[in-house]
Amino acid sequence: MQRASIAWRSEGRAIALIPTMGYLHPGHAGLIRRARSLVGRRGIVVVSIFVNPTQFAPSEDLAKYPRDLSRDRRLCQDNSVDALFLPSEESMYPGRITGAYSTYVTETCISQGMEGTSRPTHFQGVTTVVAKLFNCVLPHISVFGEKDFQQAAVIKRMTADLNFPIKIVIAPTTREADGLAMSSRNSYLSEDQRRAATC
Ligand code: PAF
């Protein structure tokens, strides 16, 4: 990935990264379109798909997180994505289970409170993986959804604090016709829960 990005950069092409955990939906397509509008036709739009284990607590839904790579590939092709980055867990966190991997990135202010209260290790996992994806993909721009409002604020702060030369763009939430924010995890909802979710 780095070799490809270095080559694109040497040709003067702007690179935009949309980090995702896959199971893509029209909200992601909106982020992809925003990225394309920012880098132009000569630019490179990269989507990463990686279900990041470090942002899930042991009690959370890592194993059952929805996955459908062939559908994701189609959505990327239909939206003219230039590259799909699919790192393996072992390449992102070599030896994490045995303790050989030991470096994490922690934002210590905005990540406290709100979602950070119920998910105390979540944002450290997010900042760690996003910093790593930035170093793999070497983008000029990275686009995130406003739906994950605290995450967007944490990532902006981390990017500034660690001097990543990357413009962070926050794109508006895409909603279902009845107002529910689109989310991969909406697939967990039963019919009753789906109806109640708009309250
Ligand atoms: O918002 C997400 O899908 C994830 O938290 C992210 C930013 C891709 C990091 O794994």
Side-chain angles (χ1 to χ4, degrees), residues 92-170:
M92 289 298 269
Y93 298 111
R96 190 176 68 94
I97 304 303
T98 60
Y101 182 92
S102 57
T103 303
Y104 294 86
V105 175
T106 310
E107 191 286 325
T108 58
C109 179
I110 303 170
S111 59
Q112 306 301 300
M114 295 190 282
E115 191 170 1
T117 306
S118 53
R119 305 180 78 190
T121 56
H122 172 68
F123 285 115
Q124 184 192 63
V126 171
T127 43
T128 300
V129 81
V130 170
K132 288 171 70 69
L133 291 168
F134 285 174
N135 285 326
C136 294
V137 178
L138 306 172
H140 299 88
I141 298 168
S142 191
V143 186
F144 295 84
E146 194 174 35
K147 172 176 73 65
D148 300 299
F149 187 79
Q150 189 176 11
Q151 168 174 283
V154 168
I155 288 168
K156 273 180 157 172
R157 173 63 68 85
M158 177 203 73
T159 305
D161 286 354
L162 297 186
N163 307 96
F164 281 109
I166 299 171
K167 181 179 160 74
I168 303 299
V169 174
I170 308 300

Side-chain angles (χ1 to χ4, degrees), residues 1-17 44-47 82-85 132-141:
M1 186 68 247
Q2 283 173 338
R3 271 201 299 275
S5 288
I6 288 166
W8 289 321
R9 279 175 164 263
S10 72
E11 294 164 1
R13 301 169 87 175
I15 303 171
L17 168 67
I44 300 289
V45 174
V46 181
V47 170
D82 297 292
L84 194 49
F85 180 46
K132 288 171 70 69
L133 291 168
F134 285 174
N135 285 326
C136 294
V137 178
L138 306 172
H140 299 88
I141 298 168

